C-alpha cells in the first residue's frame, strides 16, 4: 500500500486551511456551527485513511484493466465498487450536503481538501463521486422539490451515481450545435433522442441507477445555445415510492479508449434509439429541470464547479507526482555533487549521493513543488470563495466573492491543467529511465493528467472565457476586484523580506491592466481574441504568484523546515516564474498578427 | 495505410536539402562523386515508400503488443522483422557506408533525411537499424581491421544487429561508477562479468547474432571514467570463416515495460553469470576495441552521433504529430470563426467551419510547425556539419565544422527533445478529446517522444555538457565560432524584411556571450552550474531562432504557399519564441541562488 505521505501532504493542507485560510472562522457561521477545528481534522483524517487504504492500491490495476464493454454492459475491476462503497458508507459523498440529506454540512473548502485525497490517490475511481456530487448540487440548485427528493437523496447516499451529458460527436466544445431532441409529452415529461459523446460514468454496474443530466433542444425553440434545455434522464425510471421501474432508453453505444484516466468509464450513449420503449412509447423519458431553454445556464452552475474541481484534480495529480519524485530523489544515489565536476574528473572514491543533492534535481523538485502547492492554494482559495459566496454575512461580501470567483474560474481550471502536468513531467525526469517505465507510478500520473487541459472546456475555451468575457464583464469590475485583492496582499508585504516580490507583482498587475486595455482598444475582436491563450498564461502566472506571496506571508512567522520550504518555493516562483509574464505581456502589447494572418494553405 | 504526407513533408526536406543546405554541391567531393541530385532524390523516394508501406502500418500494433519475454527469448510482432528485412534488402542499412561494404556512400545529411522517414513512421522499429548503424560506425572508426571484417560487414548487410551497453542499474548517468569487469586472458581476449540496464535491442530473434559494444573496467586500471574500456561482446562467438560458433554468456535478464517507444525491446542483460561457458570457461568473451582505458572516448564517438540522432527522432515525432494535427484541423468542422463570438451569440444558422479557421488552433499549429521544422533544420544542419568535418577541402574547414558540431551537439539533442514533445502535446490539444483516445495516433507520438529527454544523456546532462564544457572549451572558441556563424547570417538579413529579426537575434547572441561571462565569473562552479538548465534552454532558442532566420532568407525568393508558410513560421519564432530568451538571460544574469541554497529537508 502506498504511504499516505506520497499521496498528499497533510502538513501542507493544514497550513493552507488553518495558517492561511483560517477555516476555523467559518464555524461562526450559522451553516457550520456544528463544526469545529476538531471535526474538520477528523474528516481529513478519515479521507486520508480511506484514500490510502481503498483508493490508492488499485490505481495502477485500474489503469492496466480499463473498463470493458461485455454483453452491452461495462465491466470494471471489483476494487472500484468496493472503494466507492467504503467512501459512501463513511458519509463522504454527503460531506458538503445538508443535514436533511444525511450530510455533514462541511464548508466547501474543507470538502475540497477532503476530496483532494481521493483524486490524488486515484483520479479514475474518484470521477464517479465527483460527477455525482456535482450532479446532485445542480439538482439542489435548480430542480423541483420532487426531483430533489427523487434523485438527490439516493445520490448523496451513494446508491445512484450521476453524469453530465453535454457533448455530441459532431459538436465537442460547440454546444450551440447539439442536435439531441426533447419532444414534450402530454403528461409533462419529454422524450429524448440523440447521441452523446465523452460521457464519463455514462454506464456501469456500480450502482443500481444512473442519473443523467442531459442537454437537449425542444423543437421550435430558439436556435443555438438559447434553445438548450436541461433534462433528467435516469437509466431506470423511478416509481412514486422511489423503487426502480422500467428501463429507460439510454443505451451504451461504445467506450472510449484513452491514453490515461482509464479507470473512469468514458462512453458514447444513445438516447431514444428504440432499444427500450418505456411505457410502450419511443424515446428516452426525460424530466425538464427548471424552465425551458435555460439549460445551459443551469449546466454552467455545474460546469463552473466542475472546472474548479478539474483544476484541483490536475493540481493533486501534479502534487502526488512531486511527492513521489521527492521520495525517489532522497533515496536514489547516483553521482556526486556537481561543483567543478566534469565526467572526467569525478572522484569515484567518494560515495555516491542521493540525487536530491544535485542542483538540477533540486531545480526540478522546487519547480514541481511551486506548481503543485501553488495550484493547491489556488483551488482551496476558490473553494473558500464558494463558502464566502454562500455564507458571508453581507450581500456585498457575497457578491464580491461571486465576482472574484467568476473571474478566477478559467484560471483555476486552466493553470493547474498546464502546470500540474508540468509537475508530472518533471517527476518523470527526476526518476530518469525508471520514470519512463510502468514499474513506477509517475508515468501514469502524467498520462492521467493530460486529460485535464481538454475536458470541461479546453485551454482555448478557458482563454476565450477569460479575455472575451470575464475581464470585460460589468465594465471590468472583475479585473478591478482582482487587482484590489492582490494590492491588499502586496501592501501587507511592505517592510518584510517580500517587499521586492510585492513590487514585482504590483508591476505585473499594472501591466495586466494596461495590456487588457490595449487588447480591447484595437476595435478588432478577432485580433484581440487571437491572443487569448497567451493572456490566459500570463494572467495565471500573475494569480499564482500572488498566492505564493500570500503563502510566504502566512509562513513568515514559522521557522520549521516546512516553513523554510514555503519560503524557498515562494522565492522560486518570484524569481524564476513571475518573470515569464514580461515576455507574454510584451507579446500581447505588440498586437502581433502572425497567428491571425496565417492562412491554412501556408501550414 | 497512412499517407506519406502524414509522416513527413517531402517538400520541406527538399527545401532544406536543396534550397537551403545545397546538398548537391557535395557531389563535387571525391567521396560523393558517384552521386547527383537524381540519386539523392531516388533514395529519398525509396525511403518514403518503404517507410509508408512497411514501417508506419505496424506502429500502433507494436505499441499495443510490446515485446514479451517468453522462454528466455524476446517475442516481437512479425511485422518488425519483415519491415527491417525490406529496409536492409533495399540497401538502406548501408546507405552512408563505404562501397567496400556494399554501401552507397551517401552524405550524412542525406542519410539523416532518409532515416528521418523511418523514425517518423515508426520510431520503435527504427531503433534497431539506428543502433546498428551507430555501432558499425564506431567499429569502423576505432576497431581493428579484423574486427571490422568480422562485425561491420554483417551489420551493414542487416544480418546482425548491434547495441551499445553502457548503463548499469546502480549507475545510470554516472558512468564512472560502472562495475562490469573485464579480465584479460592469455589469448588476448577478455572475460566480462556484470549487469547492464536499459539496453535497447539487447536481445531479440530478428537477426542471427547481436553485436554488443560494452563498457567495462579492467581490474587494476585507473578509477572512474579513466578506467573504462570498450569491448565487442557478440551474442554468438564468430568462427574464423564468419560462421556462428558458441553461445556467449550474455543472457537476457528482463525487459523494461515503458510508457511508450514500446516497439523497441529494452533489456537488462547479464554478462558472465555462468549460464553459458564459452570454451568451457566462465565469463562472457569480449574483444577489446582500440586501447585499454579509452573506452569512453570511443563511445562518445557513437554517443555524439546518437545524440544528434535522438534529436532527429524527437523532431520527426513532433513533425508527424504536427502533420496529423494539421490534417485533423482541416477536416474537422466545429464552431464558427471567433470574431466577437461568445457562446451566447453564436450564429448557428451559418455552417460550422474547419477548426483550422479558429485563431487559437492556428496558434497551436504554427507553434508546432516552428518546433518541428526548426528541429529538422537543426538536425540536418548538424548532419551537414558531419559531412564538412569529414570531407571539407581544407583542414581548417574540417576543424571549424568539428568545433561547431561539438558546440551544437547538446542543443541538437536537448532542444528537439523538449520542443518536439511540445509539438506532440499541441497535436493532442488540436484533436481535443479525440486526441486523448487511442483511436488517433497523436497520443502514441506523445508517449513515444517522452523518452527522448531521458535517454542518451538527460536534459540535465546535456546542460552540464553545454555550460560546463562546450562553451568554455578551447578558451571559448566554440562559443565564439557559433557567434560568428550567426553573425554571418544576420549580416545577410540587412536590407531585407528580416532586418528586425536579425537585430533581435544579434542582441540575443550578445546577451548569451555576456551572460556566459557572468556565469563563469562567479568563481563558484556550484553556482554557475546550478543554472545550467536555463542556460541550455536559452541557448537552444537562440540557435533555433538563427536557423529560422536562415530558413526565412532561403525562402525569400519563393512565392508559393510553402514559402509563405516558412515566412509565417519564421515570424512566429521571432515574435513569439525568441523573446522567451530575455527572461531566461535575466534570470541567469541575476545569479539567483534559490535552487542552489534549497535544502533537501525544505522540499
Amino acid at each position: 500500500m502506498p504511504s499516505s505521505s506520497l499521496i498528499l501532504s497533510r502538513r501542507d493542507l493544514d497550513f493552507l486551511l488553518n495558517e492561511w485560510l483560517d477555516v476555523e472562522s467559518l464555524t461562526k457561521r450559522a451553516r457550520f456551527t456544528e463544526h469545529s477545528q476538531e471535526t474538520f481534522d477528523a474528516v481529513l483524517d478519515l479521507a486520508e485513511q480511506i484514500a490510502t487504504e481503498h483508493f490508492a492500491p488499485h490505481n495502477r490495476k485500474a489503469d492496466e484493466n480499463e473498463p470493458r464493454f461485455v454483453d452491452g454492459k461495462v465491466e470494471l475491476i471489483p476494487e472500484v465498487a468496493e472503494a466507492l462503497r467504503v467512501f459512501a458508507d463513511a458519509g463522504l459523498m454527503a460531506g458538503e450536503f445538508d443535514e436533511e440529506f444525511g450530510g455533514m454540512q462541511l464548508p466547501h473548502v474543507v470538502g475540497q481538501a477532503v476530496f483532494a485525497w481521493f483524486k490524488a490517490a486515484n483520479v479514475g475511481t474518484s470521477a464517479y463521486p465527483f460527477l455525482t456530487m456535482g450532479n446532485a448540487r445542480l439538482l439542489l440548485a435548480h430542480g423541483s422539490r420532487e426531483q430533489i427528493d427523487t434523485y438527490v437523496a439516493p445520490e448523496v447516499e451513494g446508491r445512484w451515481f450521476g453524469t453530465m451529458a453535454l457533448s455530441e460527436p459532431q459538436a465537442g466544445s460547440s454546444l450551440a450545435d447539439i442536435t439531441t431532441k426533447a419532444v414534450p409529452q402530454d403528461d409533462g415529461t419529454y422524450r429524448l433522442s440523440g447521441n452523446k459523446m465523452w460521457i464519463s460514468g455514462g454506464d456501469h454496474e456500480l450502482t443500481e441507477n444512473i442519473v443523467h443530466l442531459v442537454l437537449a433542444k425542444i423543437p421550435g425553440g430558439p436556435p443555438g445555445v438559447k434553445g438548450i434545455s436541461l433534462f433528467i434522464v435516469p437509466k431506470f425510471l423511478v416509481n412514486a415510492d422511489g423503487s426502480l421501474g422500467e428501463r429507460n432508453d439510454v443505451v451504451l453505444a461504445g467506450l472510449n479508449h484513452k491514453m490515461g484516466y482509464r479507470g473512469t468509464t468514458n462512453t458514447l450513449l444513445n438516447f431514444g434509439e428504440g432499444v427500450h420503449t418505456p411505457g410502450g412509447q419511443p424515446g428516452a423519458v426525460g424530466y425538464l429541470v427548471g424552465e425551458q431553454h435555460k439549460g445551459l445556464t443551469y449546466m454552467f452552475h455545474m460546469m463552473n464547479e466542475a472546472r474548479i474541481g478539474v483544476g484541483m484534480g490536475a493540481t493533486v495529480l501534479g502534487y502526488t507526482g512531486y511527492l513521489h519524485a521527492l521520495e525517489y530523489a532522497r533515496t536514489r544515489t547516483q553521482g556526486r555533487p556537481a561543483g567543478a565536476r566534469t565526467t572526467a574528473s569525478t572522484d569515484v572514491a567518494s560515495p555516491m549521493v542521493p540525487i536530491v543533492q544535485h542542483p538540477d534535481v533540486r531545480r526540478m523538485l522546487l519547480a514541481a513543488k511551486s506548481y503543485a502547492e501553488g495550484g493547491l492554494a489556488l483551488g482551496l482559495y476558490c473553494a473558500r470563495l464558494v463558502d464566502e459566496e454562500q455564507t458571508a454575512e453581507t450581500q456585498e461580501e457575497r457578491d464580491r466573492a461571486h465576482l472574484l470567483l467568476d473571474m478566477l474560474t478559467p484560471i483555476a481550471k486552466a493553470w493547474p491543467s498546464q502546470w500540474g502536468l508540468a509537475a508530472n513531467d518533471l517527476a518523470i525526469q527526476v526518476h530518469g529511465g525508471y520514470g519512463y517505465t510502468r514499474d513506477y507510478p509517475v508515468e501514469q500520473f502524467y498520462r492521467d493528467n493530460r486529460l485535464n487541459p481538454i475536458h470541461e472546456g479546453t485551454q482555448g475555451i478557458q482563454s476565450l472565457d477569460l479575455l472575451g468575457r470575464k475581464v470585460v464583464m460589468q465594465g471590468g469590475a472583475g479585473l478591478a476586484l482582482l487587482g484590489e485583492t492582490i494590492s491588499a496582499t502586496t501592501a501587507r508585504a511592505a517592510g518584510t523580506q517580500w517587499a521586492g516580490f510585492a513590487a514585482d507583482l504590483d508591476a505585473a498587475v499594472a501591466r495586466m491592466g494596461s495590456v487588457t486595455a490595449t487588447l480591447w482598444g484595437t476595435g478588432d475582436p478577432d485580433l484581440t481574441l487571437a491572443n487569448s491563450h497567451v493572456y490566459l498564461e500570463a494572467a495565471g502566472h500573475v494569480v499564482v504568484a500572488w498566492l505564493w506571496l500570500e503563502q510566504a506571508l502566512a509562513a513568515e512567522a514559522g521557522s520549521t523546515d516546512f516553513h523554510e520550504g514555503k519560503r524557498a518555493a515562494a522565492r522560486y516562483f518570484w524569481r524564476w516564474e513571475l518573470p515569464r509574464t514580461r515576455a507574454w505581456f510584451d507579446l500581447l502589447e505588440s498586437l502581433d498578427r502572425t497567428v491571425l494572418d496565417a492562412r491554412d494553405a501556408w501550414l
Side-chain angles (χ1 to χ4, degrees), chain A residues 158-348:
Chain A
R159 291 191 294 112
W160 301 354
F161 284 169
T163 74
M164 49 197 289
L166 289 74
S167 300
E168 300 182 3
Q170 83 291 351
S173 299
S174 181
L175 292 174
D177 295 292
I178 64 168
T179 59
T180 294
K181 204 168 57 174
V183 179
Q185 309 293 306
D186 293 342
D187 62 357
T189 66
Y190 291 75
R191 290 283 173 151
L192 277 75
S193 55
N195 308 309
K196 291 289 178 181
M197 180 66 167
W198 308 121
I199 312 309
S200 286
D203 203 8
H204 53 70
E205 307 296 312
L206 293 168
T207 50
E208 55 184 359
N209 204 3
I210 301 174
V211 182
H212 302 289
L213 286 175
V214 183
L215 292 184
K217 289 186 171 175
I218 299 168
V225 294
K226 291 177 185 167
I228 294 176
S229 302
L230 179 66
F231 300 88
I232 299 168
V233 183
K235 180 176 175 180
F236 287 94
L237 301 183
V238 183
N239 298 320
D241 64 356
S243 65
L244 296 188
E246 247 181 307
R247 181 73 161 80
N248 205 354
D249 197 19
V250 188
V251 175
L252 178 65
L255 299 180
N256 291 308
H257 299 286
K258 296 166 291 181
M259 173 167 63
Y261 233 103
R262 293 190 184 183
T264 305
T265 315
N266 188 272
T267 63
L268 292 85
L269 296 179
N270 290 344
F271 292 80
E273 293 225 322
V275 176
H276 304 285
T277 48
Q281 300 296 320
V285 177
Y287 309 99
L288 182 70
V289 176
E291 296 173 38
Q292 288 190 351
H293 313 318
K294 294 199 174 170
L296 203 61
T297 310
Y298 305 148
M299 192 56 97
F300 261 105
H301 183 271
M302 182 169 171
M303 275 167 65
N304 279 333
E305 186 185 306
R307 284 173 176 181
I308 296 168
V310 165
M312 276 291 281
T315 291
V316 299
L317 276 172
Y319 209 124
T320 189
Y322 160 64
L323 294 173
H324 280 82
L326 179 57
E327 167 84 0
Y328 184 83
R330 284 174 170 164
T331 50
R332 166 75 177 179
T333 59
Q334 195 175 295
R336 285 144 199 96
R341 176 174 67 84
T342 65
T343 305
S345 68
T346 305
D347 173 10
V348 290

Side-chain angles (χ1 to χ4, degrees), chain A residues 22-36:
Chain A
D22 189 18
V23 165
E24 195 178 9
S25 67
L26 290 169
T27 61
K28 299 194 187 78
R29 297 187 184 164
R31 181 172 172 81
F32 308 123
T33 47
E34 299 291 309
H35 283 290
S36 63

Side-chain angles (χ1 to χ4, degrees), chain A residues 418-498:
Chain A
Q418 179 173 356
W419 297 97
L421 182 62
N424 289 121
D425 180 68
L426 290 166
I428 290 175
Q429 198 66 18
V430 168
H431 282 73
Y434 291 100
Y436 193 67
T437 71
R438 306 202 299 279
D439 297 331
Y440 286 78
V442 288
E443 67 87 26
Q444 183 186 344
F445 301 147
Y446 179 70
R447 286 186 290 108
D448 287 351
N449 218 354
R450 186 61 189 80
L451 178 60
N452 287 317
I454 299 172
H455 68 164
E456 302 297 343
T458 62
Q459 304 297 85
I461 296 283
Q462 303 303 326
S463 75
L464 291 174
D465 183 43
L466 181 66
L467 182 58
R469 190 158 30 194
K470 296 301 173 63
V471 301
V472 288
M473 65 185 174
Q474 301 175 35
L479 185 59
L481 177 56
L482 177 62
E484 287 164 29
T485 310
I486 296 177
S487 293
T489 305
T490 57
R492 283 165 43 223
T496 73
Q497 63 166 310
W498 302 105

Side-chain angles (χ1 to χ4, degrees), chain A residues 108 304-305 308 378-390 398-413 465-466 470 473 478 481-482:
Chain A
H108 190 60
N304 279 333
E305 186 185 306
I308 296 168
L378 174 60
L380 292 179
Y381 186 89
C382 287
R384 184 76 166 76
L385 284 179
V386 171
D387 289 318
E388 291 303 304
E389 186 186 23
Q390 293 174 351
R398 292 195 291 274
D399 288 347
R400 281 173 67 91
H402 178 80
L403 184 63
L404 189 55
L405 183 62
D406 226 19
M407 178 74 198
L408 289 175
T409 297
I411 293 169
K413 193 277 176 183
D465 183 43
L466 181 66
K470 296 301 173 63
M473 65 185 174
L481 177 56
L482 177 62

